Amino acid sequence: MTRDEAADRAAVLNGEHPERGRYRWMAREADGAWQVVRVTIPGGVRIDPLTAAVESRARPQPAEDPRPLFDKNVGGPWVGAG
């Protein structure tokens, strides 16, 4: 088997095999010959795309500042020194 044949076979297995969510196939050279090897995917890693969609909605506008206009513009009542 040549490198291209092994890579093509690995690509077919990665796309069509029923257990493609648990394993990955790749081409490997051993003793001058190319072969297809199966590697187990570690737990918690997903290869398959997610199927459920999450709906996103627009966020509400922030609430208006409840302080009086004087406090908003000047920073509050002025307290004199002394």
Side-chain angles (χ1 to χ4, degrees), residues 51-67:
T51 56
V54 176
E55 180 181 342
S56 69
R57 297 180 183 173
R59 291 185 176 199
Q61 294 294 328
E64 190 166 331
D65 191 353
R67 298 181 297 170

Side-chain angles (χ1 to χ4, degrees), residues 8-82:
D8 290 341
R9 179 66 180 144
V12 168
L13 289 170
N14 284 328
E16 298 175 1
H17 197 276
E19 292 185 308
R20 63 184 174 270
R22 293 183 56 205
Y23 303 106
R24 292 300 283 174
W25 286 265
M26 56 188 66
R28 176 180 86 162
E29 184 180 17
D31 300 327
W34 286 90
Q35 53 184 275
V36 178
V37 294
R38 181 179 77 175
V39 178
T40 304
I41 298 172
V45 177
R46 289 193 56 94
I47 297 295
D48 295 336
L50 298 176
T51 56
V54 176
E55 180 181 342
S56 69
R57 297 180 183 173
R59 291 185 176 199
Q61 294 294 328
E64 190 166 331
D65 191 353
R67 298 181 297 170
L69 187 59
F70 179 79
D71 291 343
K72 288 187 224 179
N73 291 339
V74 190
W78 184 76
V79 178

